[in-house]
Amino acid sequence: MAKSKSSASSATRKKHAKKAALDDEEPNPQPGSASQPAQRGQKKGPKKSRFEPKVKSYTPPPPPPKGAPDPVDLYLNGGSGVDAELVVILRRLGKRDEATVFKAVEGFEKWVAEVGRGEKGVEDWEKDLKEDEVVEVLSVWAHHFPRLSLHPSRRLRLATLSLHLSLISPSSPIPGTRSALLAPLWLDQQQYVGAWCCSAFDGDRVVRSVARRSWDSVVSTSPPSTEENEEAEEEAINLQEQSAPIVAFLTDLIFTTDEPTSKDPEGTEPQTDHSILRIQSLQTLAYLIESPITLEESVIDLLQSEGLWDHLDKGLEGSAAARKAAYDVLGNLVKREEDVIGEKEGLLEGVSRVVLRNCWGERDG
């Protein structure tokens, strides 16, 4: 019997042939698979239990914070094994609470003293390891020293500078502490040297005495010229070389506004009184000008700034101590052998204008 001819048009037949070819290329889905819904009468797949643990998606950790790393972490990463109590003390040195930091300084001083005294029955090699540990951990102490030496708390400044004095003393029971605190790594940082020098002019008499002894024991005013002098000044601060970093540090303090730079909502950290630091900075500048060193260009630039001599103006909101410190700067500048005021253009005119306007009405000294 002959096959009957389809009544569909040629376009319809081509469409059906193309669809059949596509169906032949795709694999037949298995019944009950995920891609094909279950038909009527088929068994569905097993249900998920609500007691099964949920698989959490991986969340990458946040990137490390930018800025200077914690010196304690750097110390521990160096492979040094320290006791947990010492790590806690070192961590507390960077806290904001004044009582916490004071306890940390006391704890660190106690730990250093115990190592210096030594324990009975301890072998010499064990004592040497402990002393080396003290020298290594001084990197953490030097990192926090600028902030602690100029802290608003008097008792914290006194404890900090007293411990610093014992560490840099040539008669320290632990050898190497003086060299560690006078290492080029720290002397190249203006915050460290500048705060040390500025602390020698603290407003408190007792704190100033301790800080001045500490500074005078390490400072040298004569540049090394011979090999003997270089060997003698290996563990000293050369004032001629460090005058520029110190002046840069003083400039920031002199021209800092009285507004607090950081907020402490909990009230655990006393706010810095910039007027007190400004007086210390002016007194330190007068000390540099009085010392027998050659004035660097940074010192001349500071002396030529208009804002420096505004501290002589009684009409501004300044204390008598600040004006006295500014007059000390001017007096030491005039006493120098070289005529700094006359040689620098505009310096004499600017200074004389402020002095003549205020000196006749000055009643505080």
Side-chain angles (χ1 to χ4, degrees), residues 129-189:
L129 287 178
K130 279 289 186 181
E131 292 178 351
D132 293 341
E133 188 178 5
V134 173
V135 175
E136 292 177 6
V137 84
L138 287 181
S139 59
V140 183
W141 172 257
H143 175 82
H144 295 293
F145 175 76
R147 180 176 65 93
L148 302 181
S149 61
L150 299 179
H151 198 273
S153 172
R154 176 193 176 274
R155 67 167 186 169
L156 183 54
R157 296 198 311 273
L158 181 59
T160 299
L161 294 168
S162 298
L163 176 56
H164 201 71
L165 174 61
S166 64
L167 292 173
I168 58 95
S169 174
S171 59
S172 174
I174 302 177
T177 56
R178 180 184 176 93
S179 301
L181 295 176
L182 294 175
L185 172 64
W186 301 110
L187 296 186
D188 292 340
Q189 300 185 18

Side-chain angles (χ1 to χ4, degrees), residues 43-115:
K43 291 185 178 180
K44 297 182 179 180
K47 293 183 178 180
K48 293 183 178 181
S49 175
R50 59 191 182 93
F51 298 104
E52 291 182 1
K54 296 182 179 179
V55 180
K56 296 183 178 180
S57 59
Y58 172 73
T59 304
K66 296 182 180 179
D70 192 338
V72 182
D73 294 336
L74 295 179
Y75 171 65
L76 296 178
N77 291 338
S80 301
V82 295
D83 56 277
E85 184 179 356
L86 177 59
V87 174
V88 172
I89 292 175
L90 298 178
R91 295 286 189 194
R92 287 177 176 175
L93 288 176
K95 299 297 183 181
R96 297 175 62 91
D97 181 40
E98 182 250 332
T100 302
V101 180
F102 180 74
K103 291 180 180 179
V105 175
E106 284 188 328
F108 186 66
E109 182 179 11
K110 180 180 178 182
W111 180 76
V112 173
E114 290 177 353
V115 175

Side-chain angles (χ1 to χ4, degrees), residues 78 153 162 238 280 327:
S153 172
S162 298
N238 187 274
Q280 285 185 234
Y327 275 113

Side-chain angles (χ1 to χ4, degrees), residues 282-330:
L282 292 172
Q283 293 174 343
T284 308
L285 179 60
Y287 159 77
L288 291 177
I289 296 176
E290 186 182 19
S291 60
I293 62 173
T294 303
L295 298 183
E296 301 287 344
E297 287 297 326
S298 58
V299 182
I300 303 301
D301 295 339
L302 177 58
L303 294 175
Q304 289 180 319
S305 60
E306 298 179 358
L308 176 65
W309 304 112
D310 288 342
H311 293 89
L312 298 173
D313 195 344
K314 189 177 181 180
L316 300 178
E317 295 183 1
S319 61
R323 295 196 300 274
K324 181 181 182 302
Y327 275 113
D328 291 339
V329 173
L330 179 59

Side-chain angles (χ1 to χ4, degrees), residues 247-260:
V247 170
F249 179 78
L250 298 179
T251 303
D252 294 338
L253 293 182
I254 291 174
F255 297 107
T256 300
T257 59
D258 292 329
E259 299 178 359

